Amino acid sequence: MKTKLIAAATLACSALAFTAVPLTVEARERVYVCDKNVKKKSNNGTLVGAVAGGVLGNVVAGNGAKTEGTVLGAGVGAVAGHQIAKKSCRWVYR
C-alpha cells in the first residue's frame, strides 16, 4: 500500500514537471515601463503624506510638544509620501 502511494506521488510530481517546462520555455521579453505622469503623482504623494504625517505627529506627540510633533510628522510624511508615489515603474512581460 505504501509503495503504491509513493509511486503515485512520484508519477504525479513528474507529470507536473513535464507540463511546467513548456510554460517556462516560452520566450517573452521583459520590459521596464514607467508611467508618464510621475511628477504629478509624486507631488500628490508629497501633499497627502505631509497632511497624514502632520495629523499622526500631532496625535502621537506628548502634551507639551504638539507643534513639534506636527511639524516633524509632516516632514517625515512628505518625504515618505513622495518616495512611495514615485514608485510607478515596474517590470512587464510582453
Side-chain angles (χ1 to χ4, degrees):
M1 179 69 180
K2 193 173 188 180
T3 56
K4 286 184 181 180
L5 183 61
I6 292 172
T10 305
L11 183 62
C13 289
S14 63
L16 288 175
F18 285 120
T19 57
V21 170
L23 296 176
T24 58
V25 174
E26 291 179 12
R28 293 191 300 172
E29 187 178 0
R30 188 175 174 198
V31 182
Y32 197 64
V33 178
C34 294
D35 292 338
K36 293 181 181 177
N37 55 358
V38 173
K39 194 169 197 173
K40 182 180 179 185
K41 282 186 176 183
S42 62
N43 288 341
N44 289 342
T46 302
L47 181 65
V48 170
V51 170
V55 169
L56 186 64
N58 190 348
V59 170
V60 172
N63 288 335
K66 292 288 187 182
T67 304
E68 292 86 358
T70 303
V71 171
L72 185 62
V76 171
V79 171
H82 179 78
Q83 292 299 320
I84 291 169
K86 199 168 69 172
K87 301 284 183 192
S88 60
C89 297
R90 62 200 174 279
W91 288 99
V92 177
Y93 287 99
R94 292 186 178 170

